[in-house]
Structure formats: structure tokens, C-alpha cells
Amino acid sequence: MDLHILDHRLRVTSICKNGLVNFTHPLIKLIFLRKRTRCKFFSLTETPENFTVVLDEEGFKELQPSEHLQVEGSVWLPLNVISNGNASSSSQAVGVTKIAKSVIAPLAQQHVSVFMLSTYQTDFILVREKDLAVVIHTLEEEFNIYREVGGEYSAVLSQDVRNGFQKNGKEAPQPTVHPVLIPPNQFCVMSLDPDTLPAIATTLIDVLFYSSSPKEGALPSQDLDCIKFFSFSLIDGYVSLVMDTEAQRQFPADLLFTSSSGELWRMVRIGGQPLGFDECGIVAQISQPLADSDISAYYISTFSFDHALVPEEDIVSVTEMLQQHRKEPAC
């Protein structure tokens, strides 16, 4: 398998809910006018707490400093696993599951914190730029590693990044077992032709920027345990959307597409309080048991919490598995 280090230097930011009005113009520009911003990597995820925005340096220029904007201090690099020339898998388990043992677990053992962003097309593993030497040294036996520069890929050899590198000889600390929440929402993972973005502009703007406001005459939600979660990504020309079925009904059905099975997904939300960025092994503690059971999972990290999406038909077994995992004594 090949591991690609993509030619993006990313920032992870958070916009608080009551400060969104200060950023609607730059966010709309980043979504619909990407040629003007020259931003090639953009992701916006709404959760009950905030809006997480992950974007490259060109896109980051559009966000003006504000008391409503938090910026994680590191530069992050996206990694992508390529199997048989394709970033997507076949009929086997998809998402973070297929890279849990080969990428996620080894990095956790070397104290490397990862930020995951699964999309309709592929899975991006974000690592801090300062950790790149450790990442390459850790994964070089499993992967052929290539780095993208200006659209061209060249092989990365371990000696190229050994300057100042010291292997972590310490045993990885036992990660904190975080509580999980499984809301009743059903989710869809979808895409659309980026040329059709103007056709859904009104709906997308409404869902992103106005859906939190109660509409006149609207009935209150029948299920108060449902949580707000909507993710939009525009990365290297590919669009990915993650939304619950209630939001999906607002979009034209003929423009959005999903897998041929039209699969529905359920969410496992990780964390009882904001997780931070320095703890290692959070993704591994969820993805590893899913990989052991060959259960597909998309995984989306945000500024405060992590979110795994598993097939709806597997949610009962996943719930039991995670409950059992939390009862087992630490080794």
C-alpha cells in the first residue's frame, strides 16, 4: 500500500455559534467561490457546540482574527492511504476501519496525535507537521511513502527526515476511555458534482447558517435527543456532505448521490467534555474494536469532540462492543 503526504498545510479552527454572523461572508466565499480564494482544502462541520473549520493556508487568510475564532496552534498535514491505486476500498469495510491497524494504532503507540476527516471519497489522517519525521519512521515498513509537491509525487526515504529524529522508546500511556453518546439520528454520507453547487446554494446556506433558528410555524423536534451535526467538505474539487435524514429532505434528491446501497449510518460521539488535541489514542480506541469486527466506519474529528459513523444495522453490536470495552480492565 502507498501512503501519500498531500501538498496542503492545514489549520484547524473553531467558530463559536454566536459569532457565526461575523464569518458568513468568508465562509460563503470559500464554499461557492473557491477560484477566487484559491483554497483547495476546506471542511466545515457544525456540532451543537461550535463550527469546526479545517482549511489550507490560502483559505485561512479569509478568516479574520476575532474573539469568536479559536485557532489550534499547529500546522497539520493530511495523509491518505492508497490501496491498489485507489483511495476508496471495495466491498470490504470502508472508512477508518481499513486503516485502524496499519496507521492509527502504530501512530498512537508513538504518541502521535491524529485528527481524522472521513469524506464520501476517502479518509484523511491529519498529523502535526512537527510530528512528520516520527510518522514516516513509524509507517515506512508498512507503506511506500510519497510526498506531493506541486502536483507531483516523489518517494520519501527515512534518511530524508532523520535529522534530529529520536525514536520514542517509552511505552505508550494507557489512553483515557472516554464516554460515548449514541443519538437516534440517522445519517447519510453523500456527494454531488461541484458544478451543481449553485443549484443547492440557497438550501445549503439555510442549513448551515439559519437552521438553528426556529422557523415560523415549525413544529418542535419530536426527538429531543437528536443532535445537530452537518459536515461539508470541498477538497481538491470533490464535495462530501454528511447530514442526518431530516436535513437531507431539504435538498433536491436528484442532485445528491450516495453509494448504490443508499446506506444509513448511526453516530457514536466520543467525549464527555472537550477532548483537546494532545491526547493520543482516541481514534484508536474506537477504530480498533471496529476493525476487529470488520465494521465500516467514517470518522470525523472536530474542535471539541470526535464522531464515528457506523452502519445502522451494526449499531446494536457496536453499542454492546463499546460497553464491553469500557468494562474491561486496563492491561
Side-chain angles (χ1 to χ4, degrees):
M1 290 192 294
D2 295 343
L3 180 74
H4 289 180
I5 305 167
L6 303 181
D7 193 12
H8 301 292
R9 301 180 77 244
L10 306 178
R11 304 305 300 267
V12 178
T13 73
S14 169
I15 300 172
C16 65
K17 288 291 184 82
N18 61 5
L20 181 65
V21 65
N22 301 287
F23 294 93
T24 50
H25 179 265
L27 291 176
I28 288 173
K29 186 178 177 182
L30 287 162
I31 294 170
F32 298 107
L33 303 173
R34 60 189 186 278
K35 291 182 180 178
R36 290 191 187 180
T37 65
R38 296 191 297 175
C39 179
K40 296 182 179 179
F41 195 113
F42 173 79
S43 176
L44 171 65
T45 302
E46 180 184 3
T47 61
E49 298 77 27
N50 49 40
F51 291 84
T52 297
V53 184
V54 181
L55 67 180
D56 61 22
E57 292 177 314
E58 289 294 330
F60 185 60
K61 294 175 183 177
E62 300 292 330
L63 303 182
Q64 296 301 312
S66 166
E67 61 179 337
H68 303 292
L69 177 71
Q70 285 184 271
V71 182
E72 203 282 325
S74 305
V75 171
W76 297 76
L77 303 178
L79 314 179
N80 189 212
V81 173
I82 307 295
S83 302
N84 301 320
N86 296 306
S88 58
S89 77
S90 57
S91 58
Q92 298 175 338
V94 301
V96 70
T97 302
K98 68 181 185 293
I99 57 173
K101 296 181 180 180
S102 59
V103 179
I104 305 300
L107 292 182
Q109 291 169 1
Q110 284 299 319
H111 305 190
V112 175
S113 179
V114 301
F115 187 96
M116 283 297 307
L117 178 59
S118 293
T119 67
Y120 178 86
Q121 292 82 15
T122 189
D123 302 281
F124 296 100
I125 310 114
L126 276 58
V127 298
R128 286 185 170 99
E129 188 174 50
K130 67 180 180 64
D131 290 333
L132 185 59
V134 182
V135 170
I136 291 173
H137 183 86
T138 303
L139 302 179
E140 62 183 345
E141 291 186 8
E142 181 76 23
F143 296 94
N144 300 311
I145 303 178
Y146 298 89
R147 186 160 193 175
E148 180 189 17
V149 179
E152 299 292 329
Y153 286 93
S154 57
V156 176
L157 303 177
S158 59
Q159 55 262 36
D160 296 338
V161 294
R162 282 192 186 277
N163 185 28
F165 170 74
Q166 291 184 340
K167 185 174 181 180
N168 184 352
K170 298 179 182 179
E171 184 177 347
Q174 190 70 24
T176 301
V177 177
H178 293 280
V180 299
L181 171 69
I182 302 177
N185 313 49
Q186 296 173 311
F187 288 90
C188 311
V189 181
M190 314 188 78
S191 184
L192 81 162
D193 184 336
D195 291 335
T196 64
L197 267 174
I200 66 164
T202 302
T203 304
L204 187 57
I205 290 171
D206 186 52
V207 169
L208 280 173
F209 303 127
Y210 299 106
S211 62
S212 297
S213 304
K215 295 183 174 56
E216 186 176 346
L219 295 174
S221 173
Q222 295 300 310
D223 200 331
L224 299 178
D225 293 328
C226 291
I227 71 166
K228 176 67 177 180
F229 186 92
F230 186 94
S231 185
F232 171 91
S233 298
L234 179 54
I235 300 172
D236 290 329
Y238 292 96
V239 176
S240 176
L241 297 130
V242 179
M243 67 187 84
D244 65 14
T245 51
E246 182 178 346
Q248 180 200 10
R249 286 191 286 270
Q250 301 180 50
F251 288 87
D254 58 332
L255 294 182
L256 300 180
F257 52 85
T258 184
S259 62
S260 57
S261 62
E263 199 161 26
L264 292 176
W265 302 79
R266 292 286 300 278
M267 175 181 289
V268 178
R269 176 176 157 103
I270 301 100
Q273 57 185 2
L275 299 171
F277 290 86
D278 295 325
E279 184 181 340
C280 305
I282 298 174
V283 181
Q285 71 175 248
I286 298 296
S287 62
Q288 189 71 40
L290 294 177
D292 291 340
S293 299
D294 201 32
I295 295 175
S296 297
Y298 291 96
Y299 200 105
I300 299 176
S301 301
T302 62
F303 208 87
S304 299
F305 298 99
D306 281 8
H307 309 80
L309 295 171
V310 300
E312 185 176 39
E313 63 265 24
D314 293 320
I315 191 61
V316 173
S317 59
V318 168
T319 303
E320 294 173 349
M321 180 193 313
L322 294 176
Q323 288 174 343
Q324 182 61 34
H325 180 64
R326 277 148 178 72
K327 291 177 182 177
E328 293 174 355
C331 298

